[in-house]
Amino acid sequence: MMPKYIDAFGFIFLRVGGSTLLFWLAALFIKTEKIERKDFPRILAAAFFGVAFNMLTFFKGLSYTSPIMGAVLMVTTPMIVLVLSAIIMKERMKNRKILGILLGLAGTVTLILYGKSMTNAPNATLGNLLVFVNAVSYGFYLIIVKKLMDKYNAFSFVKWIYLFGFLMVLPFGWGEFQAVDWSSVPTGILLKIGFVVVFSTFLTYLLNLLSMRELKPTTVAVFIYLQPFFATVFAIGLGKDDLSWVKIGSAALIFAGVYLVIHKKPEVIEESLTGTDPSQH
């Protein structure tokens, strides 16, 4: 779809706008709580880091890099959240986690600098960097949104997050959206756009929030490891990407680092803020 029929920011305009409409329509049939005025600044921050900046950097990055590299870089999210938690919430980090962060950082830097792809990646270095920035943005979002998840039903605040997020992406995406020649867009591409809006955004974002209320965040985080697997299978199967030793080695370092970061000894129970990013599904 990108950039042949629609550019990245125009796609984000469609994605966030369509999902905003779906969330507000769904809220008509589901009982929601009134949001206290003091919580709206937190919602605005969540909209920026979890929707606007998050999606704009990911989609622009994905238009430059390959699907496999983009998916592998998103696995760094749990490590990023741990670092941000240590900085913002003054959480203490153990030596094992510090080692994990360093391993993950080594894999990330290697992938960004040397993970060139000959397939469907016009500017892999810039694309990888933007995807990594996206992961950092989502890390901020997880820390910001945790108090909202503990206080409100997901439908009560997610509609506001997406409404404010849509207003934020409007200046960036409107021009690219207007530039689309819809008469030349095939039906198959329209169906793919609909899939991204309904399944990869609306349902994924909602289910992610609900799962984080019912399960420990660390349990939810484990499922992010399936993303590179599925991205690799689909991308290679459709001829959209190829494997290389740099990608495999970088992925191994990142996976090892994340394992050290989130792995807990049975006798130690500790809360962490990790989760999957619906922007890149």
Side-chain angles (χ1 to χ4, degrees):
M1 293 181 283
M2 299 184 302
K4 184 176 181 180
Y5 296 102
I6 185 169
D7 285 325
F9 290 170
F11 200 171
I12 292 298
F13 174 88
L14 271 177
R15 185 183 186 187
V16 179
S19 298
T20 300
L21 181 62
L22 290 175
F23 278 122
W24 279 86
L25 287 175
L28 295 176
F29 304 96
I30 299 175
K31 186 178 180 180
T32 58
E33 305 135 295
K34 184 178 180 181
I35 303 295
E36 296 181 22
R37 182 174 297 181
K38 66 179 181 179
D39 289 323
F40 275 100
R42 182 175 292 272
I43 288 177
L44 279 168
F48 176 77
F49 288 110
V51 177
F53 190 60
N54 175 31
M55 291 191 185
L56 289 172
T57 52
F58 182 78
F59 266 60
K60 182 61 76 172
L62 189 60
S63 68
Y64 290 142
T65 190
S66 69
I68 292 177
M69 289 190 287
V72 168
L73 283 169
M74 289 311 303
V75 179
T76 61
T77 298
M79 290 185 295
I80 293 169
V81 174
L82 179 68
V83 172
L84 294 177
S85 297
I87 296 173
I88 298 174
M89 304 176 70
K90 308 301 181 183
E91 291 186 4
R92 187 178 178 181
M93 286 196 295
K94 298 181 178 180
N95 292 335
R96 171 174 48 83
K97 294 186 177 183
I98 294 174
L99 175 61
I101 291 171
L102 293 176
L103 285 175
L105 180 62
T108 301
V109 172
T110 301
L111 193 61
I112 290 175
L113 296 179
Y114 303 106
K116 309 295 184 182
S117 178
M118 300 303 293
T119 306
N120 201 29
N123 191 340
T125 300
L126 177 59
N128 292 339
L129 181 60
L130 288 172
V131 172
F132 180 70
V133 169
N134 153 260
V136 175
S137 177
Y138 191 68
F140 274 112
Y141 163 76
L142 287 174
I143 294 174
I144 292 168
V145 84
K146 188 176 188 300
K147 287 187 177 180
L148 294 174
M149 289 193 298
D150 294 338
K151 188 173 182 179
Y152 300 107
N153 176 284
F155 268 108
S156 299
F157 64 84
V158 71
K159 62 180 183 179
W160 288 106
I161 287 178
Y162 260 81
L163 177 61
F164 292 138
F166 176 69
L167 295 176
M168 292 175 187
V169 302
L170 184 61
F172 299 93
W174 177 247
E176 292 186 1
F177 173 75
Q178 281 190 311
V180 177
D181 180 10
W182 293 104
S183 62
S184 65
V185 178
T187 302
I189 296 297
L190 294 175
L191 291 175
K192 290 178 181 178
I193 292 174
F195 177 86
V196 171
V197 172
V198 177
F199 292 99
S200 298
T201 310
F202 173 69
L203 286 179
T204 300
Y205 204 100
L206 178 62
L207 293 175
N208 190 55
L209 285 174
L210 294 176
S211 67
M212 290 182 70
R213 286 185 64 90
E214 302 298 329
L215 302 173
K216 291 182 179 180
T218 48
T219 303
V220 178
V222 172
F223 288 91
I224 199 173
Y225 304 137
L226 292 174
Q227 188 166 296
F229 169 75
F230 285 122
T232 300
V233 171
F234 293 144
I236 294 177
L238 296 172
K240 300 297 183 182
D241 203 353
D242 51 20
L243 275 177
S244 69
W245 285 111
V246 171
K247 293 178 188 177
I248 295 172
S250 300
L253 286 172
I254 292 172
F255 273 67
V258 175
Y259 174 80
L260 290 174
V261 166
I262 72 169
H263 178 67
K264 293 177 175 59
K265 296 180 180 179
E267 67 271 16
V268 178
I269 301 176
E270 53 186 353
E271 283 295 324
S272 64
L273 297 166
T274 52
T276 57
D277 181 0
S279 81
Q280 28 69 32
H281 291 124

